[in-house]
Amino acid sequence: VERILRTIDAKERIAVFADYDCDGIPGGTLFNDFLNKIGYENFEVYIPHRNSEGYGLSERAVDALATRGAKLIITIDCGITDVGPTAHANELGIDVIITDHHLPQEVLPPAYAILNSKQAADTYHDNMLCGAAVAWKLVCALLSRRGKAWGVPEGWEKWLLDMAGLSTVADLAPLQKENRALAYYGLKV
């Protein structure tokens, strides 16, 4: 949260790097809608081409984002295994925040921060959230810190539940615990 707020305060370019599937695209949409709501314009949502770029963060994508001035990459539904591309981003002066729900490998990427409740050291009570739900939790944390200052009404994050709920169902997350509530209220939205 602190790194994203510093980026916003400095008006640096944010790249939201979303996976190309039924979880990543709604998660990218959710983050896009949040940034638009707070009036932040210096960002882009990057969805890699499934056939020509493949899954996850790549050095090619990092290079493209660097040429467009990105100072922060936030992954949605990917990145937990992308050690090389994350190191490459660091070499170019770009911080990476990984939001993902896939299983971490033995070596984690050298990211500024990793939000993934499947990490061994994580203590979050529900490790079965989909990628868009992890992104939604990050947006909720940002809004709890500064939503009032941005003029965002309390509770506005509920309007992003459609994307988190849709992803929860489409990505076949178990409809238990928090996922059940996300799907239920997301489908209502």
Side-chain angles (χ1 to χ4, degrees), residues 13-18 44-49 52-75 78-79 81-98 109-111:
R13 187 147 183 88
I14 297 172
V16 177
F17 186 93
E44 69 177 286
V45 176
Y46 185 103
I47 300 173
H49 188 280
S52 63
E53 293 181 81
Y55 174 77
L57 191 61
S58 67
E59 289 189 15
R60 173 181 162 190
V62 169
D63 287 339
L65 295 169
T67 62
R68 296 197 289 268
K71 296 296 179 192
L72 176 64
I73 296 173
I74 303 169
T75 72
C78 61
T81 62
D82 298 328
V83 175
T86 302
H88 182 62
N90 292 339
E91 291 166 3
L92 297 176
I94 302 171
D95 285 333
V96 179
I97 295 174
I98 294 171

Side-chain angles (χ1 to χ4, degrees), residues 113-162:
I114 297 175
L115 285 72
N116 182 329
S117 62
K118 288 190 173 79
Q119 294 179 94
D122 197 291
T123 59
Y124 193 71
H125 67 273
D126 191 346
N127 68 352
M128 294 305 290
L129 297 179
C130 69
V134 174
W136 183 75
K137 297 299 252 181
L138 177 56
V139 167
C140 289
L142 288 160
L143 288 172
S144 74
R145 184 67 69 82
R146 200 180 281 176
K148 191 179 230 179
W150 287 322
V152 178
E154 188 175 341
W156 176 83
E157 65 276 6
K158 73 180 174 192
W159 297 113
L160 301 176
L161 279 174
D162 55 352

